[in-house]
Amino acid sequence: MYLQTELAARAAAGAPVRVCLIGAGKFGSMFLSQVPTTPGLQVSVIADLRPDAARAACRNVGWTEERIAGTDFIDDAVRAIARDDVDVVIEATGHPPAGIRHARASFAAGKHIVMVNVEADVLAGPLLAHEARSAGTVYSMAYGDQPALTTEQVEWARSCGFEVIAAGKGTKYLPAYHASTPDTVWDHYGLTAEEAAAAGMNSKMFNSFLDGTKSGLEMAAIANACDLSPPNDGLAFPPCGMDDLAHVLRPASEGGQLECKGQVEVVSSLERDGRPVFKDLRWGVYVVLEAPNDYAAGCFWQYGMNTDASGRYSAMFKPFHLIGLELNVSVLSAGLLGRPTGTTKDFRGDVAATAKRNLVAGEVLDGEGGATVWGKLIPAERSLRESRLPIGLAHGVTLKRSIAAGQMVSWGDVEVDLTDETVMARQEMEQHFAGLKAAAE
């Protein structure tokens, strides 16, 4: 993409790419740590509900007092977005309502936005991407996070003429994790609550990683960006190491574990009995591809590719992702080239709130990473047909009827404020894509 060449020219001209960062948490801090060593990139303003904590985060990652003094810290993100000295907005709050609000403020201000907030993207991203295109702005996935890195691999494979058979990431998974709560999560990480608190680790966030919700959200984002299919009844999380990707992630009709070609899936770093998978991909991303002809299959063998027994299926993978340390790629792609590093194109996957235990009428759901529900990936068409409640709206809502453990929650099961702007955005998105599907039929 020649980003460094373009950036060097901007630096020499004294015309840096100017950034508004919203949310100075872990992801934001990782991005901030790279700013001092990236000439031509300037953080004009940091918007955080706690400006003093944001300043402390900058000191923690090595910013000088001079750099901190030259940056504005405010608690009003919408006002920060509207500033004249901002070219690219980074939304890193992880809060769906805030993410939708900030995205729309960016479009209105003519600013590009890098959406770290996958929760907001899956809740209403197909609509937000449509609005960004109408506004002539970039709505981008965040490079360094797994959805953007997986999307890059899918783009590579298709550009080379390969059919994508599967794409996704690795994680640590056992079926029992779906019932994990913020009170039990640290047991699975080998930490005490005191150790986690001392490290500043958020129990709900880490519980979302563990209970399958974050995996569902990320795979929905990939499906929506890459025209891939979610499995019909949730991710299977098959145990699988790097060497076995092409064997495990091929269609069931050919001995693999996929429902169909062109599917998203997450592989587990643990066997079902808890033993570690050999050469696991816990921190990485992958794409499984198929040779289009015998000649290409022969090249797989000649160049040492890992293949299944037929030699037709192979896999490319990246064993690690550096999260916010790689975010510059998205910021610079948007600011210099006007291009996203992956963006939502369609509504293919959704993540439905699913009961972790038997829930009774009158209980209040506590959303992503909480003790009541986890997020299950299903096809968007099924979600709309069954009127499933997205995990992004399953916080602070009261159940009108009891829900059995393992059952997905529907809109009619909860009391919803239909005047809430986030609910309205989601329903607008559902109506928009339901209308497109009906027109296509």
PDB file of all heavy atoms in Angstrom, residues 331-349:
ATOM      1  N   VAL A 331      -5.398   3.472  10.306  1.00  0.00           N
ATOM      2  CA  VAL A 331      -5.462   4.930  10.380  1.00  0.00           C
ATOM      3  C   VAL A 331      -4.838   5.558   9.140  1.00  0.00           C
ATOM      4  O   VAL A 331      -5.408   6.469   8.525  1.00  0.00           O
ATOM      5  CB  VAL A 331      -4.752   5.423  11.651  1.00  0.00           C
ATOM      6  CG1 VAL A 331      -4.661   6.951  11.669  1.00  0.00           C
ATOM      7  CG2 VAL A 331      -5.476   4.919  12.900  1.00  0.00           C
ATOM      8  N   LEU A 332      -3.680   5.051   8.739  1.00  0.00           N
ATOM      9  CA  LEU A 332      -2.983   5.615   7.594  1.00  0.00           C
ATOM     10  C   LEU A 332      -3.643   5.240   6.277  1.00  0.00           C
ATOM     11  O   LEU A 332      -3.666   6.026   5.333  1.00  0.00           O
ATOM     12  CB  LEU A 332      -1.520   5.172   7.614  1.00  0.00           C
ATOM     13  CG  LEU A 332      -0.736   5.599   8.858  1.00  0.00           C
ATOM     14  CD1 LEU A 332       0.696   5.102   8.792  1.00  0.00           C
ATOM     15  CD2 LEU A 332      -0.776   7.115   9.044  1.00  0.00           C
ATOM     16  N   SER A 333      -4.197   4.036   6.200  1.00  0.00           N
ATOM     17  CA  SER A 333      -4.915   3.641   4.993  1.00  0.00           C
ATOM     18  C   SER A 333      -6.109   4.560   4.759  1.00  0.00           C
ATOM     19  O   SER A 333      -6.371   4.992   3.633  1.00  0.00           O
ATOM     20  CB  SER A 333      -5.373   2.184   5.092  1.00  0.00           C
ATOM     21  OG  SER A 333      -6.039   1.782   3.919  1.00  0.00           O
ATOM     22  N   ALA A 334      -6.826   4.872   5.838  1.00  0.00           N
ATOM     23  CA  ALA A 334      -7.968   5.790   5.723  1.00  0.00           C
ATOM     24  C   ALA A 334      -7.506   7.216   5.438  1.00  0.00           C
ATOM     25  O   ALA A 334      -8.024   7.883   4.534  1.00  0.00           O
ATOM     26  CB  ALA A 334      -8.803   5.739   6.993  1.00  0.00           C
ATOM     27  N   GLY A 335      -6.532   7.683   6.216  1.00  0.00           N
ATOM     28  CA  GLY A 335      -6.123   9.077   6.122  1.00  0.00           C
ATOM     29  C   GLY A 335      -5.326   9.413   4.878  1.00  0.00           C
ATOM     30  O   GLY A 335      -5.416  10.532   4.361  1.00  0.00           O
ATOM     31  N   LEU A 336      -4.528   8.465   4.379  1.00  0.00           N
ATOM     32  CA  LEU A 336      -3.677   8.726   3.226  1.00  0.00           C
ATOM     33  C   LEU A 336      -4.271   8.236   1.904  1.00  0.00           C
ATOM     34  O   LEU A 336      -4.117   8.874   0.870  1.00  0.00           O
ATOM     35  CB  LEU A 336      -2.311   8.063   3.418  1.00  0.00           C
ATOM     36  CG  LEU A 336      -1.468   8.560   4.592  1.00  0.00           C
ATOM     37  CD1 LEU A 336      -0.230   7.689   4.760  1.00  0.00           C
ATOM     38  CD2 LEU A 336      -1.070  10.020   4.398  1.00  0.00           C
ATOM     39  N   LEU A 337      -4.923   7.080   1.953  1.00  0.00           N
ATOM     40  CA  LEU A 337      -5.419   6.453   0.730  1.00  0.00           C
ATOM     41  C   LEU A 337      -6.935   6.517   0.581  1.00  0.00           C
ATOM     42  O   LEU A 337      -7.459   6.226  -0.496  1.00  0.00           O
ATOM     43  CB  LEU A 337      -4.973   4.982   0.670  1.00  0.00           C
ATOM     44  CG  LEU A 337      -3.475   4.708   0.833  1.00  0.00           C
ATOM     45  CD1 LEU A 337      -3.211   3.211   0.743  1.00  0.00           C
ATOM     46  CD2 LEU A 337      -2.664   5.463  -0.209  1.00  0.00           C
ATOM     47  N   GLY A 338      -7.635   6.843   1.662  1.00  0.00           N
ATOM     48  CA  GLY A 338      -9.095   6.858   1.608  1.00  0.00           C
ATOM     49  C   GLY A 338      -9.680   5.473   1.459  1.00  0.00           C
ATOM     50  O   GLY A 338     -10.753   5.310   0.858  1.00  0.00           O
ATOM     51  N   ARG A 339      -9.001   4.469   2.025  1.00  0.00           N
ATOM     52  CA  ARG A 339      -9.441   3.085   1.891  1.00  0.00           C
ATOM     53  C   ARG A 339      -9.514   2.411   3.252  1.00  0.00           C
ATOM     54  O   ARG A 339      -8.671   2.641   4.107  1.00  0.00           O
ATOM     55  CB  ARG A 339      -8.473   2.300   1.003  1.00  0.00           C
ATOM     56  CG  ARG A 339      -8.372   2.810  -0.416  1.00  0.00           C
ATOM     57  CD  ARG A 339      -7.335   2.023  -1.198  1.00  0.00           C
ATOM     58  NE  ARG A 339      -7.191   2.534  -2.560  1.00  0.00           N
ATOM     59  CZ  ARG A 339      -6.236   2.141  -3.399  1.00  0.00           C
ATOM     60  NH1 ARG A 339      -5.358   1.231  -3.011  1.00  0.00           N
ATOM     61  NH2 ARG A 339      -6.170   2.649  -4.620  1.00  0.00           N
ATOM     62  N   PRO A 340     -10.495   1.536   3.450  1.00  0.00           N
ATOM     63  CA  PRO A 340     -10.588   0.792   4.705  1.00  0.00           C
ATOM     64  C   PRO A 340      -9.695  -0.447   4.689  1.00  0.00           C
ATOM     65  O   PRO A 340      -9.358  -0.965   3.619  1.00  0.00           O
ATOM     66  CB  PRO A 340     -12.059   0.381   4.759  1.00  0.00           C
ATOM     67  CG  PRO A 340     -12.413   0.190   3.304  1.00  0.00           C
ATOM     68  CD  PRO A 340     -11.641   1.246   2.555  1.00  0.00           C
ATOM     69  N   THR A 341      -9.330  -0.916   5.839  1.00  0.00           N
ATOM     70  CA  THR A 341      -8.670  -2.217   5.966  1.00  0.00           C
ATOM     71  C   THR A 341      -9.750  -3.223   6.364  1.00  0.00           C
ATOM     72  O   THR A 341      -9.760  -3.759   7.475  1.00  0.00           O
ATOM     73  CB  THR A 341      -7.546  -2.173   7.019  1.00  0.00           C
ATOM     74  OG1 THR A 341      -8.053  -1.575   8.225  1.00  0.00           O
ATOM     75  CG2 THR A 341      -6.366  -1.365   6.526  1.00  0.00           C
ATOM     76  N   GLY A 342     -10.673  -3.435   5.437  1.00  0.00           N
ATOM     77  CA  GLY A 342     -11.842  -4.275   5.691  1.00  0.00           C
ATOM     78  C   GLY A 342     -13.012  -3.422   6.134  1.00  0.00           C
ATOM     79  O   GLY A 342     -12.857  -2.507   6.945  1.00  0.00           O
ATOM     80  N   THR A 343     -14.187  -3.729   5.580  1.00  0.00           N
ATOM     81  CA  THR A 343     -15.384  -2.990   5.979  1.00  0.00           C
ATOM     82  C   THR A 343     -16.613  -3.868   5.780  1.00  0.00           C
ATOM     83  O   THR A 343     -16.621  -4.768   4.930  1.00  0.00           O
ATOM     84  CB  THR A 343     -15.536  -1.689   5.161  1.00  0.00           C
ATOM     85  OG1 THR A 343     -16.540  -0.862   5.743  1.00  0.00           O
ATOM     86  CG2 THR A 343     -15.902  -1.973   3.717  1.00  0.00           C
ATOM     87  N   THR A 344     -17.638  -3.621   6.563  1.00  0.00           N
ATOM     88  CA  THR A 344     -18.876  -4.375   6.462  1.00  0.00           C
ATOM     89  C   THR A 344     -19.537  -4.120   5.109  1.00  0.00           C
ATOM     90  O   THR A 344     -19.657  -2.975   4.678  1.00  0.00           O
ATOM     91  CB  THR A 344     -19.831  -3.956   7.593  1.00  0.00           C
ATOM     92  OG1 THR A 344     -19.180  -4.170   8.840  1.00  0.00           O
ATOM     93  CG2 THR A 344     -21.110  -4.761   7.546  1.00  0.00           C
ATOM     94  N   LYS A 345     -19.958  -5.199   4.451  1.00  0.00           N
ATOM     95  CA  LYS A 345     -20.592  -5.088   3.145  1.00  0.00           C
ATOM     96  C   LYS A 345     -22.036  -5.579   3.148  1.00  0.00           C
ATOM     97  O   LYS A 345     -22.849  -5.126   2.345  1.00  0.00           O
ATOM     98  CB  LYS A 345     -19.796  -5.887   2.111  1.00  0.00           C
ATOM     99  CG  LYS A 345     -18.379  -5.390   1.896  1.00  0.00           C
ATOM    100  CD  LYS A 345     -17.633  -6.296   0.931  1.00  0.00           C
ATOM    101  CE  LYS A 345     -16.200  -5.835   0.742  1.00  0.00           C
ATOM    102  NZ  LYS A 345     -15.438  -6.768  -0.129  1.00  0.00           N
ATOM    103  N   ASP A 346     -22.349  -6.528   4.030  1.00  0.00           N
ATOM    104  CA  ASP A 346     -23.667  -7.150   4.000  1.00  0.00           C
ATOM    105  C   ASP A 346     -24.010  -7.604   5.415  1.00  0.00           C
ATOM    106  O   ASP A 346     -23.162  -7.582   6.317  1.00  0.00           O
ATOM    107  CB  ASP A 346     -23.648  -8.344   3.040  1.00  0.00           C
ATOM    108  CG  ASP A 346     -25.046  -8.766   2.601  1.00  0.00           C
ATOM    109  OD1 ASP A 346     -26.024  -8.155   3.064  1.00  0.00           O
ATOM    110  OD2 ASP A 346     -25.152  -9.713   1.809  1.00  0.00           O
ATOM    111  N   PHE A 347     -25.238  -8.017   5.600  1.00  0.00           N
ATOM    112  CA  PHE A 347     -25.694  -8.539   6.890  1.00  0.00           C
ATOM    113  C   PHE A 347     -25.816 -10.050   6.766  1.00  0.00           C
ATOM    114  O   PHE A 347     -26.868 -10.581   6.450  1.00  0.00           O
ATOM    115  CB  PHE A 347     -27.034  -7.894   7.261  1.00  0.00           C
ATOM    116  CG  PHE A 347     -27.531  -8.234   8.642  1.00  0.00           C
ATOM    117  CD1 PHE A 347     -26.659  -8.417   9.700  1.00  0.00           C
ATOM    118  CD2 PHE A 347     -28.896  -8.346   8.889  1.00  0.00           C
ATOM    119  CE1 PHE A 347     -27.124  -8.722  10.968  1.00  0.00           C
ATOM    120  CE2 PHE A 347     -29.379  -8.648  10.158  1.00  0.00           C
ATOM    121  CZ  PHE A 347     -28.484  -8.838  11.194  1.00  0.00           C
ATOM    122  N   ARG A 348     -24.700 -10.759   7.006  1.00  0.00           N
ATOM    123  CA  ARG A 348     -24.646 -12.206   6.862  1.00  0.00           C
ATOM    124  C   ARG A 348     -24.693 -12.926   8.208  1.00  0.00           C
ATOM    125  O   ARG A 348     -25.230 -14.020   8.322  1.00  0.00           O
ATOM    126  CB  ARG A 348     -23.362 -12.627   6.129  1.00  0.00           C
ATOM    127  CG  ARG A 348     -23.243 -12.136   4.701  1.00  0.00           C
ATOM    128  CD  ARG A 348     -24.263 -12.789   3.792  1.00  0.00           C
ATOM    129  NE  ARG A 348     -24.159 -14.244   3.803  1.00  0.00           N
ATOM    130  CZ  ARG A 348     -23.346 -14.950   3.014  1.00  0.00           C
ATOM    131  NH1 ARG A 348     -22.576 -14.330   2.133  1.00  0.00           N
ATOM    132  NH2 ARG A 348     -23.317 -16.266   3.093  1.00  0.00           N
ATOM    133  N   GLY A 349     -24.092 -12.321   9.236  1.00  0.00           N
ATOM    134  CA  GLY A 349     -24.018 -12.964  10.545  1.00  0.00           C
ATOM    135  C   GLY A 349     -24.517 -12.061  11.647  1.00  0.00           C
ATOM    136  O   GLY A 349     -24.366 -10.834  11.582  1.00  0.00           O
TER     137      GLY A 349
END
